Amino acid sequence: MIRLLLLLLPLLSACGWMWDQPKVKPFREAPLQVQVAPERVRFGENLNLEVRTGLKPEGGFADNPFTFTEEELLRGKVLYRSFCAICHGLNGEGDGRVIPLGMPKPRSFLDPAVKAMPEGYFYFAATNGFGRMLSYKSRIPERERWLIARYIKQCLQMEACPLEVVNAEVY
C-alpha cells in the first residue's frame, strides 16, 4: 500500500491544478479569421450558377442544362422512387405511402400550375426543400437531382417516357 502511495505522489504533484493547465476554451474568437469566397464550390459541383441553383440570373427557373439518355432516365426513375415517391406517389399525384400516416399531402405534379413549371423548379425544390420537404442537396448529387427533375417532367407530366423506362421494374 505504501508503494502505491509513493508511486501516486509524484504523479499527482506533476499534474498541477486543472485551471492552470493550457487548454482551448470554447466559444472564444478564433485567432485567425478564414474568409471563403462566395463563388467557391465543393469538389464536383458545376461552376455555372444557373446549373447549381436552378434559377436564371434574370429571374425564373432554368431549363435542364444536361441531356440524358434512356438508360439515365431509367436511373431517374429509380432515384424518384427512392427519394420522392414516398410522399409524391409513384405517379406524382401526391398520394405517397406516408400520406395515410398523417403527413400533409404534397401538391400533385399533375396540377396545371405545376405542369407549366420548367425542370429548374423541381431541381430548386429538391436542392433547397419546399414546405415540409427537406433539402436533398447533401443527399443527392447535383446531376442526379437534374435527372430526377427530367424524369418528373418527361415521364410523369408529359407522359413522353420511353417504353423501356415505363415497363422497367425498379425497386
Side-chain angles (χ1 to χ4, degrees), residues 12-119:
L12 292 175
S13 65
C15 292
W17 297 104
M18 278 180 35
W19 51 82
D20 290 334
Q21 294 179 1
K23 59 190 163 284
V24 176
K25 293 196 177 199
F27 305 116
R28 265 198 189 165
E29 208 172 298
L32 176 65
Q33 295 297 326
V34 178
Q35 297 292 329
V36 179
E39 64 272 2
R40 185 171 175 178
V41 295
R42 290 185 297 165
F43 179 73
E45 281 190 346
N46 198 310
L47 294 175
N48 185 347
L49 194 60
E50 191 172 324
V51 175
R52 282 189 11 230
T53 62
L55 299 171
K56 293 180 182 177
E58 63 273 3
F61 295 105
D63 293 320
N64 199 327
F66 298 103
T67 54
F68 297 108
T69 63
E70 285 184 18
E71 293 82 26
E72 288 177 310
L73 206 54
L74 181 60
R75 171 98 174 120
K77 181 178 184 176
V78 171
L79 290 168
Y80 174 82
R81 292 213 173 166
S82 298
F83 291 100
C84 311
I86 191 79
C87 295
H88 291 282
L90 296 177
N91 298 321
E93 297 170 355
D95 59 349
R97 291 177 33 198
V98 296
I99 305 309
L101 302 175
M103 205 54 184
K105 186 175 180 177
R107 197 168 182 189
S108 171
F109 291 144
L110 305 178
D111 183 345
V114 178
K115 261 186 159 179
M117 293 292 185
E119 293 175 24

Side-chain angles (χ1 to χ4, degrees), residues 119-132:
E119 293 175 24
Y121 171 78
F122 304 107
Y123 175 82
F124 183 82
T127 301
N128 300 304
F130 193 86
R132 290 201 176 180

